[in-house]
Amino acid sequence: MEIFSIYLTGVGGQGIGLLSEVLLRAADHAGHQVKGVDTHGLAQRGGIVVSRIRFGKAVYSPLTGGRSADLGISLERHEALRSLQTAVKEGGTMIYYDAVWQPLGVRLGAGGCADEAIIEAEGKSREIRVIRVLNPAVKDPRMQNMALLGEIDRNNLLPEIETEHIKEAMTDLMEGEMLEKNLRLFSTGKP
Amino acid sequence: MKKLGELLLTREPFSEIVMGNTALVRAMIEAGTRVVASYPGSPTPEIAAAIRSIPKEKRPFYFEFSTNEKVATELCYGAAVNGHLSTVFFKSVGLNVAADTFVQLGLMNIIGGMVVVLGDDPGVNSSQNEQDNRHYARLSYTPVLEPADPAEVYTFYKAAARLSQEKHMPVILRLTTHVCHAKQRVEFDRWSQEPPDNTPKFDPDNGPYIPIAKAVFPLKRRALQRLEEVRKWADESLLNRLTDNGNKSRGIITAGLPFLSLMESLREVCGEKPNILKLGVVHPIPKETIENFLADHQEVKILEELDDFLEKEIKSMAYDEGLDVRIIGKTDPEDWLEEYTPDKVYAVMQRTWPELLAPRSPDAKGKSEVSPRPAQLCPGCGHRSAFYAIKKALAETDITVADIGCHTLGFLPPYEMGQLLMCMGASPGMAAGLSLFNDSRRVVAFLGDSTFFHAGLPGIINSVFNRHNFTLILMENGTTAMTGHQPHAASGSNFNGPAEKIPVRQVLEGLGVRHIFEVDTYQQAKLTGMVKEAVETDGFSVVIARHPCMLKFMREQRKKPGYKSRQVDIDQEKCRRIQECIAEFGCPTFTQYPDGRIEVNPDLCIGDGSCIRTCPAEAIGIPHIAEEPVEG
Ligand SMILES: Cc1ncc(C[n+]2csc(CCOP(=O)(O)OP(=O)(O)O)c2C)c(N)n1
């Protein structure tokens, strides 16, 4: 593996910062050279948040180009569809948590609405493997990121990164009850 | 768990994964910086967040958020002529505000040293333009160092600090958005804390510090001479880097983040890769280094983001030296625009040397359409209630003037409040101009409370002084919300602890504003009535539309023990699908299903209840504790 690129998206407020930091540090613990960058923009105001992580041998820029990501990760379904169209490469994988935070246009009934079938079809049309995650046991929306991370790991979507590396990364970033709760959800899929 | 504050104060050398903004703070500590000031603005606020992670009593330097960038610059200058190494940081357009002071710095004998850290924003990620601040460097005879990634942010800051201390002149460290926010492992040195020297060293004999009339000439001569010394220093500096690919004909000169994008693009080169000279010192440019590079190649491409700053300098140098080399600068207006991402650089290089890189075809469209997601006001935001209510008070023909802040988003549908926007604090002045020779269209301006103190006051004073006729809506939420909740003069605290509020109402009264209205924005009907009255009042009137920032409020609430989340529900029996909640009030919480049913998104609703009175069918219930206790 030369370089592996991850394109991570969500909506401001969904907790993509923590997910992205865990992935970045897990790649580092696994001994890869890694670079990452978050694009905040006006994200705190319900806009799109994008985080990019690239690891492998010689990584220069943390920025990925259009349709070049090996793995797309999204915490929201409309953003999953958008990533499929703009960021993930043919033959890549897209995993998303099926939360719905409707953009204004959808709320107004102006079209552009995403659902499971549309996302599936979009993936098929470009030979991208699509994995949908929804865990009804997770009640706290701010824990959806860890539920998704667990599925990313169980599906072995991160090459040359082991479960232990992800746990080490989580231990770098959290402690006490918070860490326990997140580790439990990550490892067992149960909150 | 790793604690940032402790890591930053580590004595022994260490390495850690950090953002560019965090690496900068470690560099400040190692360099012995004593005074740091800022006004918040993207992409720099995380510098302050890293500073905050160090407990105040352990912080090796003084830090404050000043009222604006100009004051922050003056504070740092004052500290530096007293002998303290100082650093001011702010976003790109902050330099426009600081400019009157900033342009003088190069003339002065800054005995303690002073670094000006700029966060430029190519690609306009979160600004009102993508100005190239290198132009200010030439205007003020100030050197500029430009790092490409967090590791360079760290080393370049230390180099900038040392240069500034040696030459007693200001030095700019120019960062860009994705240099500030990039993350990678950085190797840090030892920190051997020297005992601080607090003797006030200001001495007029180190000056003159009074630049007036002819007294300016010797100062200017010195500034030019120092700049020439820095040019020689730059030639020796290890901050410039040559990547020799053994190419006899083609070379590329670049700097900063575009260098990284170039390295990514060149992975796909068919044939021989061009040699690369990456400049770390972009003003003044190292003469000998560049001349040698030019002389060694037949063609040299200048690859630079935004304006043709290096291109002009290098071309004039080649002309003076009579060098026989083809210098390729910008060839298309698009070259002046946007961030130089790997894709952008690929396109530019492909156009420069078509056989070097294979052409790329544009991506085909997606199969299905996906709705855009513009930024929007948060659930419960007081600004939403304000726009909703104020829109009802105004006529179609009235003119609304926006200002900078979260409330700028009022210009978007469904409110469309705000038809012009310029920069921080510009709304009162523009509104006054729009009110001249104008008896038919009423003028309403918006202004945030942090902006009120930052640059809003002169326009307000002018409106009183020159008796202008318009209504100003002061959107008071108690914080600098857009940039991440930094305190301001009416917040009740500053960066370092509690501070007495300067209430905006008392300021307005003190200035002699006669017509002041004041209301919590959740009282929507009352606000509508007040605005109707205010716009009918002759002269200058102010409506203080107040509500605390709910994003900040909710973050504080969630941390409290026993916190229970709340939400509203829609009574489906009562709902007549008028869609006032979605189409007019526009809270992102309201979700519309394909069958037309409207429901509340429990992940988003904070149970603030500001929507309740907007429903003509009275279908929105009183907020209640969310049924399934959310794990917090
Ligand atoms: C000269 C300048 N400095 C800083 C900024 C960054 N900035 C954008 S919005 C904003 C916050 C304004 O706060 P406030 O006026 O209180 O409005 P709020 O966001 O709280 O609604 C700032 C500081 C800027 N755009 N221009």
Side-chain angles (χ1 to χ4, degrees), chain A residues 154-181:
Chain A
R154 277 185 282 285
N155 282 285
N156 287 317
L157 300 183
L158 304 171
E160 297 166 40
I161 295 180
E162 306 300 326
T163 308
E164 276 322 298
H165 301 136
I166 300 177
K167 288 186 180 168
E168 281 175 67
M170 288 167 72
T171 312
D172 283 349
L173 298 167
M174 291 175 272
E175 63 185 359
E177 209 186 312
M178 166 103 162
L179 174 64
E180 272 169 44
K181 236 173 58 180

Coordinates of all heavy atoms in Angstrom, one line a residue, chain A residues 154-181:
Chain A
R154 N -14.9 -3.6 12.4 CA -15.4 -5.0 12.1 C -15.4 -5.4 10.7 O -15.2 -6.5 10.3 CB -16.8 -5.2 12.7 CG -16.7 -5.5 14.3 CD -18.1 -5.8 14.8 NE -18.8 -4.5 15.1 CZ -18.6 -3.7 16.1 NH1 -17.7 -3.9 16.9 NH2 -19.4 -2.6 16.2
N155 N -15.5 -4.4 9.8 CA -15.5 -4.6 8.4 C -14.0 -4.6 7.8 O -13.9 -4.6 6.6 CB -16.4 -3.7 7.6 CG -17.8 -4.0 7.7 OD1 -18.3 -5.0 7.0 ND2 -18.6 -3.3 8.6
N156 N -13.1 -4.4 8.7 CA -11.7 -4.3 8.2 C -11.4 -3.3 7.1 O -10.8 -3.6 6.1 CB -11.2 -5.7 7.8 CG -11.0 -6.6 8.9 OD1 -10.5 -6.2 10.0 ND2 -11.5 -7.8 8.8
L157 N -12.0 -2.1 7.3 CA -11.8 -1.1 6.3 C -10.6 -0.3 6.3 O -10.3 0.5 5.4 CB -13.1 -0.2 6.3 CG -14.4 -0.8 6.1 CD1 -15.5 0.2 6.1 CD2 -14.5 -1.7 4.8
L158 N -9.8 -0.4 7.4 CA -8.6 0.4 7.5 C -7.4 -0.6 7.3 O -7.0 -1.3 8.2 CB -8.5 1.0 8.9 CG -9.7 1.9 9.3 CD1 -9.6 2.3 10.8 CD2 -9.7 3.1 8.4
P159 N -6.7 -0.5 6.2 CA -5.6 -1.5 5.9 C -4.4 -1.2 6.9 O -4.1 -0.1 7.1 CB -5.2 -1.1 4.5 CG -5.7 0.2 4.2 CD -6.9 0.4 5.1
E160 N -3.9 -2.3 7.3 CA -2.7 -2.2 8.2 C -2.9 -1.4 9.4 O -2.0 -0.7 9.9 CB -1.5 -1.7 7.4 CG -1.1 -2.7 6.3 CD -0.1 -2.2 5.2 OE1 0.8 -1.4 5.6 OE2 -0.3 -2.5 4.1
I161 N -4.1 -1.4 9.9 CA -4.4 -0.8 11.3 C -5.2 -1.8 12.0 O -6.3 -2.3 11.6 CB -5.2 0.6 11.1 CG1 -4.4 1.6 10.4 CG2 -5.7 1.1 12.5 CD1 -5.1 2.9 10.2
E162 N -4.8 -2.1 13.2 CA -5.4 -3.2 14.0 C -6.4 -2.5 15.1 O -6.2 -1.3 15.4 CB -4.4 -4.0 14.8 CG -3.3 -4.6 13.9 CD -3.8 -5.6 12.9 OE1 -4.9 -6.2 13.2 OE2 -3.3 -5.6 11.8
T163 N -7.3 -3.3 15.6 CA -8.2 -2.9 16.6 C -7.5 -2.2 17.8 O -7.9 -1.2 18.3 CB -9.0 -4.1 17.1 OG1 -9.6 -4.7 16.0 CG2 -10.1 -3.6 18.0
E164 N -6.3 -2.8 18.1 CA -5.5 -2.3 19.3 C -5.1 -0.8 19.0 O -5.1 0.0 19.9 CB -4.3 -3.2 19.5 CG -4.6 -4.4 20.4 CD -5.6 -4.1 21.5 OE1 -5.2 -3.3 22.4 OE2 -6.7 -4.7 21.5
H165 N -4.7 -0.6 17.8 CA -4.3 0.8 17.4 C -5.4 1.8 17.6 O -5.2 2.9 18.1 CB -3.8 0.9 16.0 CG -2.6 -0.1 15.8 ND1 -2.5 -0.9 14.6 CD2 -1.5 -0.4 16.5 CE1 -1.4 -1.6 14.7 NE2 -0.8 -1.3 15.8
I166 N -6.6 1.4 17.3 CA -7.8 2.3 17.4 C -8.0 2.5 18.9 O -8.3 3.6 19.3 CB -9.0 1.7 16.7 CG1 -8.7 1.5 15.2 CG2 -10.2 2.6 16.9 CD1 -9.8 0.8 14.5
K167 N -7.9 1.5 19.7 CA -8.1 1.6 21.1 C -7.1 2.5 21.8 O -7.4 3.3 22.7 CB -8.2 0.2 21.8 CG -9.4 -0.6 21.5 CD -9.4 -1.8 22.3 CE -10.7 -2.7 22.0 NZ -10.6 -4.0 22.6
E168 N -5.8 2.3 21.3 CA -4.8 3.2 21.9 C -5.1 4.7 21.5 O -4.9 5.6 22.4 CB -3.4 2.8 21.2 CG -2.8 1.6 21.8 CD -1.5 1.3 21.1 OE1 -0.5 2.1 21.1 OE2 -1.4 0.2 20.4
A169 N -5.6 4.9 20.3 CA -5.9 6.2 19.9 C -7.0 6.8 20.8 O -7.0 8.0 21.2 CB -6.3 6.3 18.4
M170 N -8.0 6.0 21.1 CA -9.1 6.5 21.9 C -8.6 6.8 23.3 O -9.0 7.7 24.0 CB -10.2 5.4 22.0 CG -11.0 5.3 20.7 SD -12.0 3.9 20.5 CE -13.4 4.3 21.6
T171 N -7.6 6.0 23.8 CA -7.1 6.2 25.1 C -6.3 7.5 25.2 O -6.1 8.1 26.2 CB -6.2 5.0 25.5 OG1 -7.0 3.8 25.3 CG2 -5.9 5.0 27.0
D172 N -5.7 7.9 24.1 CA -5.0 9.2 24.0 C -5.9 10.3 24.2 O -5.5 11.4 24.7 CB -4.4 9.4 22.6 CG -3.1 8.6 22.4 OD1 -2.6 8.0 23.3 OD2 -2.6 8.5 21.2
L173 N -7.2 10.1 23.8 CA -8.1 11.3 23.6 C -9.1 11.4 24.7 O -9.8 12.4 24.9 CB -8.8 11.2 22.3 CG -7.8 11.3 21.1 CD1 -8.5 11.0 19.8 CD2 -7.2 12.8 21.0
M174 N -9.4 10.2 25.4 CA -10.5 10.3 26.4 C -10.0 9.6 27.7 O -9.0 8.8 27.7 CB -11.7 9.5 25.9 CG -12.4 10.2 24.7 SD -13.7 9.2 24.0 CE -12.8 8.3 22.8
E175 N -10.8 9.8 28.7 CA -10.4 9.1 30.0 C -11.7 8.8 30.8 O -12.8 9.3 30.4 CB -9.5 9.9 30.8 CG -10.0 11.2 31.2 CD -9.0 12.1 32.0 OE1 -7.9 11.7 32.2 OE2 -9.4 13.2 32.3
G176 N -11.6 8.0 31.8 CA -12.7 7.8 32.8 C -13.9 7.1 32.1 O -13.8 6.3 31.3
E177 N -15.0 7.6 32.6 CA -16.3 7.0 32.2 C -16.5 7.2 30.7 O -17.0 6.3 30.0 CB -17.4 7.8 33.0 CG -18.6 6.9 33.2 CD -19.7 7.8 33.8 OE1 -19.4 8.5 34.8 OE2 -20.8 7.8 33.4
M178 N -16.1 8.4 30.2 CA -16.3 8.7 28.8 C -15.6 7.7 27.9 O -16.1 7.2 26.9 CB -15.7 10.1 28.6 CG -15.5 10.5 27.2 SD -16.8 11.6 26.6 CE -16.0 12.3 25.2
L179 N -14.3 7.4 28.3 CA -13.5 6.4 27.6 C -14.2 5.0 27.6 O -14.3 4.4 26.6 CB -12.1 6.4 28.2 CG -11.2 5.3 27.6 CD1 -10.9 5.6 26.1 CD2 -9.9 5.2 28.3
E180 N -14.6 4.6 28.8 CA -15.2 3.3 29.0 C -16.4 3.2 28.1 O -16.6 2.2 27.4 CB -15.7 3.1 30.4 CG -14.6 2.5 31.3 CD -15.0 2.6 32.8 OE1 -16.2 2.2 33.1 OE2 -14.1 3.0 33.6
K181 N -17.3 4.2 28.1 CA -18.5 4.2 27.3 C -18.2 4.1 25.8 O -18.8 3.3 25.1 CB -19.3 5.5 27.6 CG -20.7 5.3 28.1 CD -21.3 6.7 28.5 CE -21.3 7.7 27.4 NZ -21.9 8.9 27.8

